[in-house]
Amino acid sequence: MTRDNPRNPRPAPRGRRRALAWILALGLFPIPAAAQSGSIQGQVTDAATGRALASAQVSVRGTGIGGLTNADGRFLLLNVPAGEQTVELLLLGYASQQQTVVVRSGETIVTQFRLSASALELDEIIVTGTAGGTQRRAIGNVVTAVNSDEVLSRSPIASVDQLIAQRTPGLVMLPGTGQVGTGTAPVIRGVASVTQGNDPIIYIDGVRMDSDPRRGPGQRGGANINRLNDIHPADIESIEIIKGPAAATLYGTEASNGVIQIITKRGRTGAPQFDLTARVGTNWLWDPAGRVGLRYMPDPDRPGELVGLNVYENEEQTGLGPIFQNGLTQSYNLSMRGGTDAVRYFGAISRDNDVGVVDWNWNKRFAVRANVEALLTQSLTVNINSSFISTQTRLAQGSIDTDPFSNLIWSNPRTLVDGSGRRGWRAAPPEEWSKVEDRGDSDRTTTSVELRFQPVEWSSHRLVAGIDNNNELAFTVLPQQPEGAAHFYGQRALGEKEVSRGTRRFLTLDYSGSANRTWGDYTFTPSVGFQYYKTESSFITAEGTQFPAIPVTTISGGAVRTGDETFAEEAMVGFYVQQQVGWNNRAFLTGAVRMDSHSAFGSEIDAAYYPKLSGTWVVSEEDFWSFDFISQFRLRGAWGAAGRQPGTFAASRLYAPTIGFGDNPALTPDSYGNPELQPERGEELELGFDASFFDDRLSLEFTRFDRATKDAIINRPLPPSSGFTGSQLVNIGRIDAWGNEVAVNARLVQGPRFSWDLDTQFATARNRIADLGDLETIFAGTQSQHREGYSVADIFMLRVLEAEIDASGAVVRALCDGGTGPQGVDPGGAPVPCSEAPQVWLGRSQPTWQLGVGNTFTLFGNLRLYARVEGNGGHIQNNTEIRATHNQSTTEAVLLRNNPLVQVYRSLENDRMGVYEAGFLRLREVSLSYDLPAGLAGRIGADRGMVSVGMRNLAMLWTAEEGWDTPRSGLVTEKIAGMHVWDPEVRATGANSVGYQTVLPPTASVTMTLRLSF
């Protein structure tokens, strides 16, 4: 027998046959009788290169029989009813194919599929945003599917947020810090809320998951451990992304920011297949010495002269550096999949150990996953998906005093000569930073059970029940130091520890049922659904300070102790009905309505209702279509509504405990509440088309969306007569948003020796606050504001038009924009004295455009070079690290007092000096991958192998911020020497991500990956 002969497939090795026999011998799931049946076997290959295609979906139409191809592209379907059968084959990125075969009882039919690459696949099955799986052609809104194995085979991916980041137009992952173990916050189609956050909801195998990107101990710039990254990318089959209310109606009250559905890998019919993935690499910070530049102080020996210090270089020159290292990153994943028509299974185990650019920043993860699919009867199937994930993370930017990057940015030559021992660093020398331990650990279990019931061919039902349970521990500890309060950290050096321990639990119950009936040229698919969702959050926090001895590091060992406990619970129940009408499988009209009730609604709000209407028409399949160069053309449109619920206690009137008269416990007013508080309501119209050209070698997807967030929740100040202080959440706002999304995929060159594939994503997103009720301005952060007529969290500051200083640097004249100039143009306001000038609009704080371009070059079918460029822009940011260096008097401009703009801004609005244009284009990924020849893979006992080398964040190709010389926007019109932004991509992880403190920028990395299949 030979491996390449489809009529004589290679038998499973003895070990595999024995393992399969043990599985079948369990007897838990009886195999249905195979009366009057035969088998179908075959192989699937790429029509251009002849390369075997793994993980292609093979099925026999109308029978429920199917599976996935193995590493050699082979498949075997058993117990296929005798007679004429249609075999269908689907694989993302390739045109679907069908073959009709005649199955004879007791015989095996052999077939061959040669698939041609297709940039647009309308027959792909989509599961997100519909009552059940349906073809892409029937969905009126855009749904993007990311194939995990395809991305992993060409990109150096280490986490889930890297897997999905910027790979679909309209989805931006806002980067946080460059520490390992942290993550980024996803934003789909820009911000849509002033107070309720902009995170999408995320499901894994049909169950809502804890995907908070802001967990763990507090750091500079905010907490930023992303729970989404608990999942190992190698365990994921695909990710589906829907982008707004028009697509998310069926997900109801919490879905107006979009939905991300993660689908993990499943078993397939055949002998057990083992896949091993090993990743080893390193990460580093580009040129820290060059980018930090010099900090200055007056020269004590030469009046009027300055002395400069590069603290990073100084540390190296004195033999004490370097401060930042090359951190070692490692990841190992072993999986197994296989099964029969009755039982299919997938299991995986993984271990990760990543170290950052300082050796006390590390992240360790251990994960186990088991997915089992069983055919209980011909009409009932059960899927059980379960995983356990344990992570331990130590971070390195807990406070400004202990953070390496803050100490570098805030370095000061005065601390080199003042006798403090700080050697030019801000608070303490490097050997002291690691004495503070910031930890964020988690043990997470996610389990779901899915039942699929098809009592008759035209009716199907799906029930999913599952739980995502996350036990978290976060703590910060500084042991007592021998020097006590004389240590660099002062009173903190007497010892302190803060601990937060608790559970976040997500419970999901989801039922959907649909029927499918045909009447002439029409198909009718009515659907109903019910969903129950509940989340619980229970945490106990405690703090102990002033330890009596150096070994003591427990809370109970502190001389001063405090504690707190929090508990929050939310529940939602929803019901929907949907009707889809199809005509000749090329025109579809869908209408739906959903009703939700949520525990966070005000007591006077019973339910929220969300309608949906969508349509799609595959015009290219009509008889009148005569454009031969256009292979496929589909028009689509959708209108729908979804919501965003208030916070857990936002509608409730709350009182805070205190000590009252006579030292007795008492209550004081805390939160006023609002019984009429209802969810924010997002309504969206989405129009677009999908087209492919030149025999499906080029695809174009275009989408235009217009969204209105109505009943936006706003904080309105309370009158003193209420007896409460602060503000009340009310539904008085409206935010309009709009944008365009374009995706282009092309196979520019296709051949057995050389091929060139291109993928491009471009999107624009804008928003405008149309109504703030009776409020004029709401402050949103560091000099950012919400104002009617402007975008969410735009930045308003003084704009100096003219400034004059005397010989001593004192400001003698300063004129600023008086605020009459129109938004978005060069300064045009009437000049007024800066002391009387208002804050005027400087720019938007959110990106207005996004771009991603990837190129894949394939040589001889097995050698691939991939390069990807990403970027966004159209916005400005406020970087406090720049402002801080001026404030601490370590820059030339401040010390010499010779720059009029600096002198004015320092005296009136010092944050103004940290504002810069934040657009950029970055060479994000470059990789080289090689598919091992079968003979070479066979020498190590593998069926298939691949080795790749990839790099991330190689270079910044372009930035909108050219130093400080940005006359177009009028930010600062005179160059301030020596000041620049380390990395314009860095942002905080807050809800609107406006401004940020000093945080470690994204690091560069190089990774070698080996993938083997056995």
Side-chain angles (χ1 to χ4, degrees):
M1 296 184 184
T2 64
R3 178 177 302 179
D4 297 324
N5 186 348
R7 297 182 180 275
N8 298 292
R10 183 180 60 178
R14 181 179 302 172
R16 297 189 202 174
R17 295 198 301 269
R18 184 178 301 164
L20 183 59
W22 275 105
I23 294 171
L24 299 180
L26 293 176
L28 297 176
F29 306 104
I31 302 176
Q36 300 297 316
S37 65
S39 302
I40 303 175
Q41 75 174 37
Q43 187 181 33
V44 182
T45 59
D46 187 299
T49 66
R51 181 169 59 94
L53 297 176
S55 300
Q57 180 179 332
V58 189
S59 61
V60 181
R61 180 186 295 175
T63 66
I65 297 173
L68 300 174
T69 58
N70 64 13
D72 293 329
R74 300 183 186 278
F75 66 90
L76 174 63
L77 305 179
L78 304 174
N79 301 325
V80 180
E84 186 176 278
Q85 302 290 351
T86 299
V87 182
E88 300 178 320
L89 196 133
L90 294 173
L91 182 61
L92 187 64
Y94 289 84
S96 61
Q97 197 174 116
Q98 300 177 358
Q99 288 187 18
T100 300
V101 298
V102 177
V103 179
R104 296 180 177 85
S105 179
E107 297 184 5
T108 298
I109 301 299
V110 179
T111 185
Q112 187 88 2
F113 285 87
R114 292 171 54 83
L115 299 188
S116 299
S118 175
L120 177 64
E121 185 47 67
L122 296 180
D123 294 325
E124 178 189 359
I125 300 299
I126 299 295
V127 303
T128 305
T130 60
T134 188
Q135 291 179 313
R136 182 184 294 276
R137 65 170 57 232
I139 303 174
N141 51 268
V142 63
V143 177
T144 301
V146 177
N147 184 293
S148 178
D149 283 342
E150 180 182 347
V151 176
L152 290 173
S153 69
R154 69 187 184 197
S155 299
I157 299 300
S159 60
V160 177
D161 59 359
Q162 293 178 3
L163 180 64
I164 63 176
Q166 282 74 255
R167 299 186 194 277
T168 175
L171 187 151
V172 176
M173 302 296 290
L174 300 178
T177 171
Q179 301 180 80
V180 299
T182 63
T184 59
V187 174
I188 298 177
R189 290 181 173 172
V191 299
S193 177
V194 169
T195 61
Q196 301 305 296
N198 294 280
D199 298 340
I201 58 175
I202 300 181
Y203 284 76
I204 180 167
D205 295 327
V207 174
R208 279 283 297 273
M209 67 171 288
D210 178 6
S211 57
D212 191 345
R214 306 172 187 91
R215 303 301 301 166
Q219 298 284 285
R220 294 282 289 167
N224 44 40
I225 293 178
N226 191 342
R227 293 271 71 99
L228 176 64
N229 288 336
D230 291 345
I231 306 167
H232 198 289
D235 293 346
I236 297 174
E237 186 76 39
S238 64
I239 300 175
E240 295 179 359
I241 303 165
I242 61 177
K243 301 178 182 179
T249 296
L250 298 189
Y251 291 89
T253 292
E254 305 184 30
S256 63
N257 294 329
V259 178
I260 298 176
Q261 181 84 258
I262 298 173
I263 303 162
T264 60
K265 291 180 177 178
R266 299 289 188 269
R268 59 188 174 204
T269 300
Q273 174 184 313
F274 296 87
D275 294 292
L276 172 66
T277 301
R279 169 180 60 84
V280 179
T282 185
N283 62 91
W284 68 91
L285 190 63
W286 282 115
D287 189 23
R291 289 200 282 180
V292 72
L294 296 176
R295 300 293 183 265
Y296 294 91
M297 75 175 196
D299 190 330
D301 299 324
R302 295 178 296 172
E305 300 292 329
L306 302 180
V307 175
L309 171 70
N310 185 311
V311 67
Y312 197 93
E313 288 184 344
N314 181 71
E315 203 77 6
E316 290 183 313
Q317 292 168 0
T318 55
L320 300 173
I323 304 306
F324 298 121
Q325 65 171 18
N326 283 37
L328 177 64
T329 61
Q330 303 175 74
S331 176
Y332 307 95
N333 179 274
L334 176 64
S335 66
M336 178 183 68
R337 67 198 309 179
T340 68
D341 284 346
V343 182
R344 299 169 185 165
Y345 54 87
F346 171 82
I349 183 171
S350 60
R351 177 66 177 174
D352 297 73
N353 188 354
D354 297 331
V355 181
V357 294
V358 291
D359 59 10
W360 66 94
N361 169 216
W362 45 259
N363 181 65
K364 301 176 182 179
R365 174 179 59 189
F366 172 77
V368 179
R369 176 173 296 278
N371 297 342
V372 177
E373 178 183 9
L375 181 66
L376 301 182
T377 69
Q378 288 289 356
S379 59
L380 181 62
T381 302
V382 60
N383 287 309
I384 302 175
N385 310 295
S386 184
S387 68
F388 171 76
I389 304 168
S390 179
T391 61
Q392 297 85 39
T393 304
R394 182 174 178 182
L395 302 176
Q397 293 191 263
S399 70
I400 190 171
D401 291 343
T402 63
D403 167 28
F405 197 65
S406 296
N407 272 278
L408 178 64
I409 294 298
W410 289 65
S411 59
N412 191 327
R414 296 172 180 85
T415 69
L416 183 65
V417 296
D418 63 2
S420 65
R422 289 178 285 176
R423 302 202 302 270
W425 302 98
R426 180 195 183 277
E431 60 268 21
E432 304 295 329
W433 302 337
S434 62
K435 293 180 178 179
V436 177
E437 184 177 5
D438 288 285
R439 286 283 297 274
D441 299 348
S442 171
D443 287 337
R444 178 176 195 157
T445 303
T446 305
T447 301
S448 67
V449 177
E450 177 187 24
L451 293 174
R452 289 186 176 271
F453 181 52
Q454 189 171 5
V456 292
E457 184 178 351
W458 51 268
S459 177
S460 62
H461 305 264
R462 173 178 176 266
L463 177 66
V464 177
I467 187 170
D468 181 35
N469 192 81
N470 192 7
N471 296 314
E472 289 186 334
L473 170 65
F475 67 86
T476 298
V477 59
L478 172 59
Q480 186 191 92
Q481 300 302 304
E483 303 89 342
H487 186 268
F488 296 104
Y489 299 146
Q491 290 295 315
R492 296 185 63 195
L494 297 176
E496 63 177 29
K497 185 175 186 179
E498 182 177 354
V499 177
S500 173
R501 186 189 298 271
T503 300
R504 288 164 59 87
R505 182 176 295 116
F506 291 68
L507 177 67
T508 301
L509 181 65
D510 190 352
Y511 163 78
S512 62
S514 63
N516 193 307
R517 304 297 288 174
T518 301
W519 180 55
D521 294 333
Y522 295 90
T523 58
F524 297 87
T525 309
S527 305
V528 296
F530 168 85
Q531 186 180 66
Y532 173 77
Y533 166 71
K534 181 180 180 181
T535 177
E536 295 179 358
S537 176
S538 176
F539 280 85
I540 294 178
T541 59
E543 182 178 7
T545 61
Q546 301 183 30
F547 297 144
I550 289 178
V552 178
T553 56
T554 61
I555 296 292
S556 58
V560 179
R561 298 184 295 272
T562 59
D564 194 16
E565 181 178 10
T566 61
F567 177 80
E569 181 181 73
E570 291 184 8
M572 184 273 294
V573 60
F575 174 79
Y576 67 82
V577 293
Q578 176 176 283
Q579 176 65 64
Q580 181 182 95
V581 180
W583 176 72
N584 283 332
N585 198 38
R586 55 180 179 264
F588 301 86
L589 183 66
T590 303
V593 63
R594 177 177 174 121
M595 179 188 72
D596 276 355
S597 182
H598 199 288
S599 62
F601 294 175
S603 58
E604 297 182 10
I605 304 299
D606 294 328
Y609 297 88
Y610 305 106
K612 168 187 176 179
L613 182 65
S614 70
T616 174
W617 180 22
V618 185
V619 186
S620 58
E621 295 182 0
E622 298 292 349
D623 293 337
F624 60 76
W625 188 259
S626 59
F627 302 96
D628 294 337
F629 69 96
I630 304 179
S631 309
Q632 300 179 82
F633 185 80
R634 178 175 73 120
L635 294 172
R636 51 180 166 76
W639 174 86
R644 182 66 178 176
Q645 83 283 5
T648 305
F649 301 111
S652 304
R653 181 164 297 184
L654 304 176
Y655 294 86
T658 188
I659 300 298
F661 178 76
D663 292 334
N664 292 316
L667 294 174
T668 58
D670 185 29
S671 175
Y672 192 69
N674 182 1
E676 298 179 349
L677 191 63
Q678 56 186 327
E680 294 184 334
R681 181 182 179 88
E683 296 182 2
E684 185 178 69
L685 175 65
E686 178 184 299
L687 301 173
F689 66 85
D690 306 324
S692 65
F693 305 85
F694 312 116
D695 295 326
D696 289 328
R697 293 181 60 176
L698 170 69
S699 78
L700 170 64
E701 296 182 4
F702 171 79
T703 302
R704 165 73 183 192
F705 72 90
D706 288 270
R707 179 178 63 211
T709 300
K710 302 178 178 179
D711 297 323
I713 298 176
I714 305 294
N715 275 302
R716 181 169 61 187
L718 286 166
S721 59
S722 68
F724 286 72
T725 60
S727 59
Q728 178 189 34
L729 289 173
V730 292
N731 298 101
I732 59 173
R734 176 186 169 114
I735 302 170
D736 296 328
W738 62 95
N740 304 285
E741 298 166 354
V742 180
V744 177
N745 292 277
R747 175 154 287 190
L748 300 177
V749 179
Q750 178 176 336
R753 295 179 178 270
F754 175 75
S755 63
W756 177 13
D757 296 320
L758 172 72
D759 65 278
T760 301
Q761 303 82 35
F762 177 76
T764 63
R766 296 279 297 275
N767 65 76
R768 177 180 177 272
I769 299 175
D771 191 2
L772 283 180
D774 53 358
L775 302 177
E776 295 183 358
T777 300
I778 300 175
F779 291 92
T782 305
Q783 306 301 336
S784 60
Q785 303 171 20
H786 306 304
R787 291 190 187 182
E788 285 187 7
Y790 295 87
S791 303
V792 172
D794 277 358
I795 295 179
F796 293 82
M797 291 186 181
L798 295 177
R799 179 186 283 121
V800 176
L801 301 179
E802 299 178 27
E804 183 180 347
I805 58 177
D806 60 20
S808 67
V811 177
V812 297
R813 187 174 66 90
L815 296 179
C816 288
D817 189 337
T820 60
Q823 174 187 354
V825 299
D826 290 336
V832 300
C834 287
S835 59
E836 303 172 7
Q839 293 179 322
V840 296
W841 184 83
L842 292 189
R844 301 172 182 87
S845 64
Q846 310 300 314
T848 61
W849 61 264
Q850 165 211 352
L851 175 67
V853 180
N855 285 276
T856 304
F857 304 95
T858 305
L859 299 173
F860 307 105
N862 60 356
L863 181 64
R864 291 183 302 279
L865 173 65
Y866 179 71
R868 180 171 179 81
V869 173
E870 293 177 356
N872 58 59
H875 63 300
I876 63 177
Q877 290 188 171
N878 184 15
N879 182 341
T880 61
E881 73 186 39
I882 294 178
R883 179 261 296 168
T885 53
H886 287 299
N887 285 352
Q888 67 176 349
S889 300
T890 57
T891 64
E892 286 183 292
V894 170
L895 290 170
L896 297 177
R897 299 173 61 85
N898 61 358
N899 189 299
L901 292 175
V902 171
Q903 295 300 98
V904 174
Y905 285 135
R906 287 195 75 214
S907 62
L908 296 176
E909 192 169 46
N910 57 8
D911 280 324
R912 181 67 168 77
M913 293 183 292
V915 176
Y916 65 96
E917 291 192 81
F920 72 94
L921 288 175
R922 166 171 253 142
L923 183 56
R924 179 73 74 194
E925 298 173 351
V926 171
S927 67
L928 183 66
S929 304
Y930 179 65
D931 292 331
L932 301 179
L936 180 58
R939 291 182 182 179
I940 57 176
D943 299 325
R944 183 182 179 188
M946 185 190 76
V947 62
S948 64
V949 178
M951 299 182 68
R952 287 184 61 85
N953 297 332
L954 273 74
M956 190 67 72
L957 303 179
W958 167 83
T959 65
E961 183 253 349
E962 297 287 344
W964 282 72
D965 189 11
T966 53
R968 181 187 62 78
S969 65
L971 294 184
V972 176
T973 56
E974 184 174 341
K975 189 104 170 164
I976 301 178
M979 295 312 303
H980 62 278
V981 178
W982 271 65
D983 194 315
E985 186 178 10
V986 175
R987 295 172 67 92
T989 55
N992 290 325
S993 299
V994 178
Y996 60 92
Q997 293 178 314
T998 303
V999 295
L1000 191 71
T1003 57
S1005 64
V1006 60
T1007 303
M1008 175 175 285
T1009 304
L1010 175 66
R1011 297 182 177 88
L1012 298 173
S1013 296
F1014 300 90

